[in-house]
Amino acid sequence: MKFFFILITTTLIFNFKSNSQITQDNWLVGGSASFSSLKSSSEAVVQFKQTNIQITPLVGYFLMD
């Protein structure tokens, strides 16, 4: 019974918080980007160079108030 009460209370808290953030007809734009580079500089038989670029865009539109 105690677990059920905590679950319902937590659900209600997160539900009220998420519905009261931004008003209707607003766009939310954000994201993240990262860059990394790695180069092997040892005298091993296999030498390599690696470059990673990652872009993660996030877009949201709020339909309801």
Side-chain angles (χ1 to χ4, degrees):
M1 184 68 180
K2 185 176 179 181
F3 175 75
F4 183 71
F5 178 72
I6 292 172
L7 180 66
I8 295 297
T9 305
T10 306
T11 304
L12 288 175
I13 289 171
F14 283 114
N15 188 25
F16 289 135
K17 186 175 182 178
S18 65
N19 287 334
S20 64
Q21 293 293 321
I22 297 181
T23 59
Q24 184 179 0
D25 294 331
N26 279 335
W27 285 92
L28 180 65
V29 179
S32 64
S34 65
F35 173 82
S36 65
S37 179
L38 178 63
K39 182 178 179 181
S40 171
S41 61
S42 66
E43 295 184 20
V45 176
V46 178
Q47 293 183 353
F48 62 92
K49 182 178 179 182
Q50 179 180 353
T51 304
N52 295 326
I53 300 173
Q54 182 178 5
I55 300 172
T56 308
L58 298 172
V59 178
Y61 181 73
F62 293 89
L63 299 172
M64 296 175 59
D65 203 9

